[in-house]
Every structure is written in structure tokens, then in C-alpha cells.
């Protein structure tokens, strides 16, 4: 017997069911807080840890499961967790793997909010956070203490661009039972195969190349080991760090063009970097594909491409006021954080205070090479050099 519905109830309930069998290329955007169960038994058998069942919107929908599976596949991993930002993904790793009394090692050139998170853990959570020379390689073994649980790596550092020796760091860490996490944002999971080099956890800021639109914030954690995945999944769940369906869709939409865009950023960035190297205004070009960059030989051994992000050190004769004038004079390059979108960006850094150990002379300016014509970007920089004097 059908229940007779009043107009108001009909506005809430419908018996219409769209026909089955609809097919199209885009993944459907499943918006949901509540997930419906067909019976009490189905509800009781659901488990948020098993991604083959749906329990609550926070723990996943077909949209987010699909993005997770695709990212795991791209990185040659098995499991993936999505977080509302790259920084949230970093925080999940720390909260999952560190407790009071533990020790974490971070590279001195780490993404600055990761560095600052280490300071907070040290200040309020009874965890020691120590910063190591990113070029330390196997020497990291001597820094590992009995209570060291985690080593962060970043390849390369996203401001000063040093390329770490990941196989050497992973070997030294694993010999002592320590886990290694890699921030693989610069390579978009394409140009550096982290698991092959030995890392245990790969973190990516999908905010950058995967989205490609400068319009999404999202992060991912990718692993191969089920026990490690379970630890990360628990922190992810306890902290409630799910992602929105529309954002997941935007990242899914970016994936088919990811490598084409990445290769285009790479080619243009190398062209602009090579031109900058020929200029008298520039002291050093910190692009891993150029010999000036600390860790260049490691880049050549371990990478098969480069991101569109690199930095320069101006010749030491230029003051900060002058290099600020240079940045202000750029027209195609806009001033802003983040990177990986179609628009070129430029950012001056006061790097000294960000580092335990920074000796190089000259003002540091970072470029994100977008998808504009490289010759137009070079012309823009040349005009801004003239405005700096
Ligand atoms: C942007 C970035 C992050 C953080 O990503 P958000 O989504 O902006 O929080 C982490 N690591 C690196 C190297 C980044 O460039």
C-alpha cells in the first residue's frame, strides 16, 4: 500500500528513480553527509576502514574513493587518503605516527608550515623536532636517536631547491626502524618515483599540479603497507579530515591533462631558467636541472622530469629594495603563494630567518612558470630587470 503524501511530504520524498545504465566519462559528484543503508543489517556490517562499503559522507563516497584509487595508481602505491589541504595531509602523518616522548627529523629546507608544525609539536606535545641539512644523505644515520620515529623529506625543497639523496636517507632510516615520509608535490607524483627509492609515505599537495586551476585546496597521503595505512586512516578519521565532493571532482577533472601540463611547465621553466643563468643580474639559478643547484647530480640520477617551480639568487650587489622593485615591475608574473596553475607567479623570500643554516649571499626570488609562452615570460623579466636599477 502506498502512503498518501501531503504536498509538504512530497517536497521531501519522491518515489521517482532515474533509469539505470547511465554512462559518461566524468565521475559523478556524490554530495552526502548522510549515507543511506538498505537495512539495519547493512548498517551494522559497514566499517569506515573498509573502503568497499559506505558509512558516512566524511569517510568517503564513490567520488572520493575514485580519486584516491587513481592517485594511488599514479604513485605506484596501494592506498590513498584525501585531506582538505596539503598541510592537513602533513599533519595527519605527524598525529598518526608521533606521540609524547618521540622525535621527528625534518629537513632544514622543509615547506615552512611543516617546519612550523614541528615547532608546535615540540612546544606543546612533548615531541622533539630536529632540523637536518637536506644534503646530509647517509649521514642522517648519525642523527637518529632511539626515540626517532619519523623522517620527513622534500624533493626538492620548494624554496631553496636542494635535492636530497632519498635512497641513502631511506636506507639509514630503515636500518634503524624509522619511517620516511616524502613531500612529492614538486614532481606531481610523475617525475620522481618515491616508493622505488624507498620512502614509506608519499604526501602530495593536490592544490598544485593535480588541480591545475589555482582553485582547489587538497592533499593526499599514499602508502603501500596496510598496517601503516591503518594508522594514517585512524588519525584521518579521528581528526575528521574529509574532503568536499566538488573539490574532489575538480581534481579528477585535472588528471587526464596532468602530464601534458606538467611537461609544458617543465619545458618552459627550463627555458626561462637557462636564460636567467646567462644574465649578469643573477648570481645563481636554483633549478635542479642546472649544475648551480645543490643536489643536481642526485636529481639527474633519480628524476625524469622537473616541476615548473625554481628560484634564483640575485647577484649580491642588489639590495632587497631593488629586488622588491623587480618583483613589483613584473606584469605577467603575479605576486602570490602556491603554484602549479596556468598563471606564472613570483615571490621574494627572506630566507635567512626561515633556516637554521643559510649561508648563500644574494636575495632569493622564486618563480612558478605557468602556461604562458616562455618568450613572453623572458621579455617580462627583462623589462623588470631594467626597472630594478
Ligand atoms: C603547497 C605545498 C604544501 C601544502 O599544500 P596546501 O594544499 O597549500 O596546504 C605542502 N608542501 C609543498 C611543497 C607545497 O608546495
Amino acid at each position: 500500500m502506498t502512503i498518501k503524501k501531503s504536498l509538504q511530504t512530497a517536497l521531501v520524498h519522491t518515489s521517482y528513480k532515474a533509469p539505470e545504465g547511465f554512462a559518461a566519462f566524468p565521475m559523478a559528484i556524490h554530495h552526502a553527509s548522510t549515507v543511506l543503508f538498505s537495512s539495519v543489517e547493512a548498517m551494522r556490517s559497514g566499517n569506515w576502514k573498509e573502503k568497499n562499503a559506505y558509512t558516512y559522507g566524511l569517510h568517503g563516497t564513490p567520488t572520493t574513493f575514485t580519486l584516491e584509487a587513481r592517485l594511488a595508481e599514479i604513485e605506484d602505491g596501494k592506498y590513498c587518503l584525501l585531506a582538505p589541504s596539503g598541510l592537513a595531509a602533513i599533519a595527519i602523518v605527524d598525529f598518526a605516527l608521533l606521540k609524547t616522548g618521540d622525535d621527528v627529523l625534518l629537513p632544514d629546507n622543509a615547506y615552512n608550515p611543516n617546519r612550523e608544525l614541528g615547532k608546535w609539536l615540540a612546544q606543546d606535545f612533548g615531541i622533539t623536532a630536529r632540523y637536518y641539512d637536506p644534503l646530509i644523505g647517509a649521514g642522517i644515520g648519525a642523527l637518529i636517536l632511539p626515540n626517532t620515529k619519523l623522517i620527513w623529506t622534500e624533493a626538492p625543497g620548494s624554496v631553496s631547491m636542494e635535492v636530497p639523496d632519498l635512497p641513502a636517507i631511506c636506507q639509514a632510516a630503515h636500518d634503524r626502524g624509522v619511517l620516511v615520509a616524502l613531500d612529492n608535490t614538486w614532481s606531481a607524483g610523475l617525475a620522481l618515483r618515491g616508493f622505488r627509492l624507498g620512502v614509506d609515505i608519499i604526501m602530495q599537495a593536490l592544490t598544485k599540479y593535480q588541480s591545475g586551476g589555482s582553485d582547489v585546496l587538497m592533499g593526499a597521503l599514499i602508502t603501500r603497507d596496510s598496517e601503516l595505512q591503518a594508522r594514517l586512516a585512524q588519525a584521518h578519521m579521528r581528526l575528521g579530515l574529509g574532503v568536499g565532493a566538488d573539490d574532489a571532482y575538480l581534481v579528477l577533472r585535472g588528471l587526464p591533462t596532468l602530464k601534458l601540463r606538467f611537461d609544458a611547465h617543465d619545458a618552459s621553466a627550463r627555458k626561462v631558467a637557462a636564460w636567467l643563468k646567462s644574465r649578469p643580474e643573477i648570481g645563481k639559478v636554483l633549478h635542479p636541472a642546472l649544475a648551480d643547484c645543490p643536489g643536481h647530480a642526485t636529481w639527474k640520477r633519480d628524476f625524469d622530469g622537473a616541476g615548473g617551480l625554481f628560484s634564483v639568487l640575485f647577484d649580491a650587489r642588489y639590495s632587497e629594495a631593488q629586488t622588491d622593485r623587480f618583483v613589483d615591475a613584473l606584469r605577467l608574473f603575479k605576486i602570490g603563494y602556491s603554484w602549479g596553475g596556468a598563471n606564472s607567479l613570483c615571490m621574494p623570500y627572506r630566507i635567512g630567518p626561515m633556516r637554521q643554516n643559510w649561508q648563500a649571499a644574494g636575495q632569493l626570488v622564486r618563480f612558478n612558470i605557468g602556461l604562458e609562452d616562455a618568450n613572453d615570460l623572458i621579455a617580462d623579466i627583462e623589462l623588470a630587470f631594467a626597472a630594478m636599477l
Side-chain angles (χ1 to χ4, degrees), residues 21-44:
F22 176 78
F25 289 115
M27 182 65 211
I29 306 175
H30 291 275
H31 288 112
S33 49
T34 298
V35 169
L36 302 179
F37 301 98
S38 57
S39 65
V40 172
E41 193 203 341
M43 178 274 292
R44 292 211 169 111

Side-chain angles (χ1 to χ4, degrees), residues 27-31 54 60-69 82 243-250 252:
M27 182 65 211
I29 306 175
H30 291 275
H31 288 112
Y54 303 105
T61 66
T63 314
T64 57
F65 285 178
T66 300
L67 178 55
E68 286 173 343
L82 298 174
V243 304
D246 290 312
D247 287 346
Y249 175 78
L250 287 173
L252 278 166

Side-chain angles (χ1 to χ4, degrees), residues 83-90 110-114 154 156-158 183-186 203-208 216-219 309 338-339 366:
S85 67
L87 183 55
I90 290 170
Y111 175 65
N112 206 48
N114 188 4
E154 197 175 316
S158 63
D183 183 334
N184 200 22
T185 301
W186 189 73
M203 172 268 154
Q204 296 175 353
L206 308 174
T207 306
K208 310 292 165 49
V216 183
L217 288 154
M218 200 179 292
L309 187 83
S338 204
W339 39 283
R366 186 177 84 172

